[in-house]
Amino acid sequence: MDFSDFIVTNLNQFWSLTGFANVTWSHVAMLLVGLFFIWLAIKKDFEPMLLVPIGFGILIGNIPFDSTAGLEIGIYEEGSVLNILYNGVSAGWYPPLIFLGIGAMTDFSALIANPKLMLVGAAAQFGIFGAYMVALALGFMPDQAGAIAIIGGADGPTAIFLTSKLAPNLLGAIAVSAYSYMALVPVIQPPIMRLFTTKKERLIKMKPARAVSQNEKIIFPIVGFLLTCFVVPSGLPLLGMLFFGNLLRECGKTTRLAKTASNALTDIVTILLGMTVGASTQASEFLTVDTLKIFALGFMAFVIASTSGVLFVKLFNLILPKSKKLNPLIGNAGVSAVPMAARISNNLGLEYDPSNYLLMHAMGPNVAGVIGSAVAAGVLLGFLA
Amino acid sequence: MKRSIILLTLIAVVGCASMSAQGRRGLRLNEVMVVNDSNYVDDYGKRGAWIELFNSTFGPLEISKVFLTNDPQNPKMYPVPLGDVNTRIPKRQHILFWADGKPTYGTFHTNFTLDPNRENWIGVYDTDGLTLIDSVTVPVMESNRSFARIDDGVGAWEVRDGVSEGKHITPSSANRIKDTNGKVDMFHANDSHGFSLTIMAMAIVFTALLVLCVCFWIISRIGAKKLSDKKLKSQGVDPTSIKRAERPQGDSGEEIAAIVMALHEHLNAHDNEATILTINKVRRAYSPWSSKIYSLREIPRR
């Protein structure tokens, strides 16, 4: 082989390894999706903490390369760096760590002061099971339908946790769908809230919540954990970490641990979770008809969940005395999406009465929604795993 | 001193509990063949009696130093040797021992044999040689038949002939072969629309949160009563002398915040503040390994 042939052969070989030689339209489409997510996060301020890592993860996961070259760089190639990071998603241990952080940063006072708001959080879980029935009708198997339906819980970590157990092959689509719709909560929920409430109902002023003692705040995570996990042991990883994080926060003796759990740890896991979930959307796995169905079902699950939360409050008002009536605008907050959904209740309430602050009232169903969706995930896991 | 004793006791209790949890209690005798004429062969190409063990836990199980025996009077008859990586059974997996009386053949060949002419008692003892983990009495069987649990690791045993439907002889593999998820199949067949699961699941979700709700309603009643008692006591009123309906309601957080704000605004009041001065050294000591931090650009602030 002469010198020029040698150069040409090697350059050809190098060219065959580049992204330009391996690119397909599906890669380009996914790269555009990733760029769109980053644009949404930075320019439109839609959940930037989630969408920036996911968006960039999509870019990472969709750089075209020759998968037969044995480079061991793809997220699905065992032993690659991305694959090792992805283990937290595929084995389901990132979500409980996120739940630890959520617990450590959540104030359950609103819920403790007004425990009946927990039922609103339960009612909103109809979104999950409504979507489950439609997913079955679309031809998904029960385990896949359960994984898709959990998008209606509006809780990204829960969705990832359950999907990693029930339908790992749908993980990318479900995770991206769950986080996308969580970011779009401000767009999806207000029309539903307006549609199902009258102007008179939107003006209902709720009694300010009473002050909650520290003892009650300490008892809550312990009793909450014991009761919910005795009913649904399969929710243990999520509920255990959620209530543990909350106990770290409320006991007053572990402030350092609570701070680490709610700040540094949550940030680290969010970065890794978002990036690897994004990277798991490799075009070959992601661009399928099923993905479109999952996005449609996810949207529907959000709509059903928000609707059932609002309607449940209206129904609940029928049996409540006049002085204790609830403003149905807090019903949407029963889907988790903490604290975005509660903020929407507050903003919409202020739109109709500038002195009607619903934020703290909406935080009750909002955090109940977190517990409710974790319980629902535990139930689905118990029935279908 | 007292506190240290309590702490040590707690650590000891937790330690004992975890040691017990880490024991080999999940090890199960799973299938036994006594007369093997035309069945499974060992690594030497020979046939013999075999005993299958099953790790019924969902974690790997190290079985070295566990004892296998066919004599209840001699529980330490065959200790599983140390130092063989194959004695670590992965979760829900099987391992086979040849009861051929030839321990020099390797780790998985016991020093005892099984008698085809009488019932054989087989036991597995924990590493202490005292704790019986599992045992079975194998009946007299025809050749090439096995005595196996119907389902791996649990429940009843049956004689398998290897020919009849569902009576397969399965050395080193699952006694009941599952090719699909039974639960999913059941829901697919009996609940194709998802109504049943929806009703059951929503009932469970509501029950869980309702129980929590009732529990905290009771706790909040107690909390509210305590707050009300405290308030009355601070006003010099005996709480027991006031009827329930006449008791003052607890202050809301908003009211408390308003009172605190008013105090702050009008009286320039302050809480007691800790007068501890803490001086922290903030400048990093120079190190060639950390010096690069000075050369990195700061993240731009938007």
Side-chain angles (χ1 to χ4, degrees):
Chain A
M1 186 185 286
D2 63 21
F3 180 71
S4 59
D5 280 349
F6 179 75
I7 296 286
V8 170
T9 307
N10 277 292
L11 284 178
N12 271 337
Q13 195 186 354
F14 178 75
W15 172 255
S16 72
L17 295 175
T18 62
F20 298 107
N22 291 290
V23 71
T24 61
W25 284 113
S26 54
H27 286 113
V28 175
M30 287 309 297
L31 290 173
L32 289 174
V33 170
L35 291 173
F36 176 65
F37 273 40
I38 294 172
W39 177 79
L40 270 183
I42 297 173
K43 283 289 174 195
K44 297 290 173 186
D45 210 24
F46 278 176
E47 297 280 350
M49 301 291 179
L50 298 172
L51 289 193
V52 168
I54 291 178
F56 204 83
I58 293 175
L59 300 187
I60 290 174
N62 286 284
I63 295 296
F65 63 90
D66 182 2
S67 58
T68 60
L71 301 173
E72 292 190 1
I73 51 170
I75 198 163
Y76 295 112
E77 291 180 70
E78 198 171 339
S80 72
V81 174
L82 286 176
N83 182 262
I84 291 167
L85 296 178
Y86 187 57
N87 181 267
V89 176
S90 57
W93 53 268
Y94 284 157
L97 288 178
I98 294 269
F99 261 60
L100 179 75
I102 293 173
M105 64 176 90
T106 304
D107 182 0
F108 283 96
S109 303
L111 197 60
I112 300 169
N114 199 354
K116 63 177 174 285
L117 295 178
M118 283 184 205
L119 298 179
V120 182
Q125 307 313 317
F126 268 119
I128 295 175
F129 300 102
Y132 172 78
M133 289 193 278
V134 180
L136 284 181
L138 285 179
F140 286 101
M141 286 297 285
D143 48 351
Q144 294 176 322
I148 295 166
I150 199 69
I151 298 171
D155 201 329
T158 307
I160 290 170
F161 178 77
L162 188 71
T163 310
S164 69
K165 308 285 174 200
L166 291 183
N169 56 321
L170 302 179
L171 192 57
I174 289 175
V176 172
S177 172
Y179 278 116
S180 309
Y181 289 130
M182 274 168 66
L184 292 173
V185 157
V187 180
I188 299 170
Q189 287 195 328
I192 297 167
M193 293 155 75
R194 287 196 184 95
L195 181 67
F196 290 103
T197 52
T198 62
K199 196 176 177 191
K200 194 181 164 194
E201 285 169 333
R202 289 176 218 142
L203 293 172
I204 292 175
K205 274 198 173 175
M206 292 170 64
K207 220 171 127 187
R210 70 174 177 84
V212 174
S213 70
Q214 199 197 1
N215 282 345
E216 287 176 86
K217 286 182 183 179
I218 293 171
I219 293 170
F220 180 78
I222 298 170
V223 174
F225 166 69
L226 292 174
L227 286 180
T228 51
C229 284
F230 264 79
V231 177
V232 194
S234 40
L236 187 60
L238 295 176
L239 291 165
M241 293 300 251
L242 176 76
F243 287 121
F244 172 50
N246 192 245
L247 183 63
L248 290 180
R249 171 199 165 95
E250 301 297 357
C251 72
K253 303 288 180 190
T254 51
T255 315
R256 240 175 62 196
L257 301 185
K259 270 186 184 166
T260 304
S262 59
N263 294 313
L265 183 65
T266 304
D267 288 351
I268 291 167
V269 182
T270 303
I271 291 168
L272 294 175
L273 180 79
M275 191 275 287
T276 48
V277 160
S280 70
T281 60
Q282 275 187 4
S284 54
E285 308 279 327
F286 193 78
L287 285 181
T288 62
V289 179
D290 277 355
T291 303
L292 290 178
K293 287 183 190 171
I294 289 167
F295 268 76
L297 285 165
F299 178 75
M300 207 192 61
F302 258 69
V303 171
I304 299 173
S306 307
T307 307
S308 50
V310 172
L311 292 180
F312 182 80
V313 175
K314 287 173 66 121
L315 200 68
F316 207 17
N317 274 343
L318 297 177
I319 56 166
L320 288 175
K322 203 176 174 185
S323 62
K324 290 186 177 176
K325 287 217 186 297
L326 304 175
N327 189 319
L329 290 180
I330 67 167
N332 71 301
V335 304
S336 312
V338 182
M340 185 63 89
R343 247 185 275 157
I344 291 161
S345 305
N346 191 53
N347 291 348
L348 218 61
L350 288 174
E351 203 178 287
Y352 291 95
D353 177 357
S355 66
N356 196 4
Y357 290 92
L358 293 172
L359 187 64
M360 283 318 289
H361 301 295
M363 278 309 287
N366 209 191
V367 292
V370 177
I371 302 172
S373 60
V375 172
V379 172
L380 286 170
L381 199 59
F383 279 135
L384 301 172
Chain B
M1 183 63 189
K2 202 174 172 185
R3 189 182 274 195
S4 306
I5 292 170
I6 294 171
L7 198 64
L8 281 172
T9 314
L10 276 174
I11 291 169
V13 168
V14 172
C16 290
S18 60
M19 269 172 70
S20 164
Q22 285 166 6
R24 282 94 164 179
R25 306 291 161 80
L27 192 60
R28 290 284 172 271
L29 286 158
N30 207 48
E31 190 170 3
V32 180
M33 179 175 275
V34 179
V35 187
N36 178 4
D37 291 339
S38 59
N39 199 263
Y40 209 45
V41 292
D42 65 11
D43 291 344
Y44 296 88
K46 293 180 178 173
R47 294 191 170 85
W50 49 259
I51 301 164
E52 182 191 73
L53 300 182
F54 174 65
N55 172 9
S56 66
T57 70
F58 283 82
L61 203 62
E62 174 57 54
I63 60 160
S64 56
K65 292 200 290 180
V66 161
F67 296 97
L68 272 174
T69 179
N70 64 347
D71 180 3
Q73 305 305 318
N74 183 8
K76 293 187 177 181
M77 186 175 279
Y78 180 70
V80 178
L82 280 165
D84 189 332
V85 290
N86 296 319
T87 53
R88 185 179 165 87
I89 315 177
K91 65 173 185 179
R92 311 286 299 168
Q93 293 301 307
H94 311 74
I95 207 162
L96 204 72
F97 282 88
W98 296 93
D100 53 7
K102 291 171 180 163
T104 52
Y105 275 24
T107 304
F108 300 103
H109 293 260
T110 66
N111 57 0
F112 61 86
T113 55
L114 301 179
D115 186 345
N117 301 314
R118 62 172 175 84
E119 283 187 343
N120 285 279
W121 181 88
I122 301 168
V124 185
Y125 282 84
D126 209 341
T127 51
D128 57 6
L130 299 169
T131 314
L132 181 64
I133 299 173
D134 196 15
S135 67
V136 64
T137 303
V138 184
V140 178
M141 297 180 290
E142 291 173 34
S143 62
N144 301 313
R145 297 196 171 200
S146 75
F147 191 53
R149 287 187 192 269
I150 297 169
D151 286 301
D152 283 322
V154 288
W157 292 71
E158 65 180 358
V159 176
R160 295 184 166 198
D161 57 14
V163 181
S164 314
E165 182 64 30
K167 304 271 184 187
H168 306 295
I169 294 169
T170 56
S172 284
S173 59
N175 288 2
R176 189 195 290 271
I177 295 161
K178 291 177 186 170
D179 48 2
T180 53
N181 181 337
K183 288 181 185 174
V184 171
D185 291 344
M186 187 187 71
F187 275 100
H188 189 55
N190 302 316
D191 185 31
S192 57
H193 298 294
F195 288 122
S196 310
L197 185 131
T198 300
I199 291 166
M200 286 188 292
M202 281 309 292
I204 295 169
V205 172
F206 261 101
T207 307
L209 289 175
L210 188 65
V211 170
L212 203 58
C213 169
V214 171
C215 193
F216 273 88
W217 183 80
I218 295 166
I219 291 172
S220 72
R221 290 296 91 197
I222 298 168
K225 186 179 177 297
K226 278 194 168 178
L227 278 176
S228 156
D229 286 357
K230 226 182 211 177
K231 198 172 180 181
L232 286 170
K233 274 183 189 166
S234 69
Q235 292 164 357
V237 182
D238 178 15
T240 52
S241 64
I242 307 272
K243 285 181 185 169
R244 196 176 157 189
E246 293 164 4
R247 279 167 171 266
Q249 297 292 309
D251 296 321
S252 72
E254 287 171 8
E255 285 165 335
I256 291 169
I259 292 166
V260 171
M261 183 64 82
L263 283 170
H264 179 75
E265 288 289 319
H266 296 288
L267 304 173
N268 196 22
H270 286 274
D271 292 335
N272 285 331
E273 288 163 5
T275 50
I276 299 168
L277 182 63
T278 308
I279 299 172
N280 281 332
K281 187 179 177 186
V282 291
R283 194 173 174 281
R284 285 170 185 266
Y286 175 77
S287 153
W289 295 103
S290 62
S291 65
K292 62 178 180 286
I293 64 165
Y294 299 117
S295 61
L296 287 174
R297 288 181 60 196
E298 282 191 1
I299 295 170
R301 290 183 184 169
R302 297 173 66 229

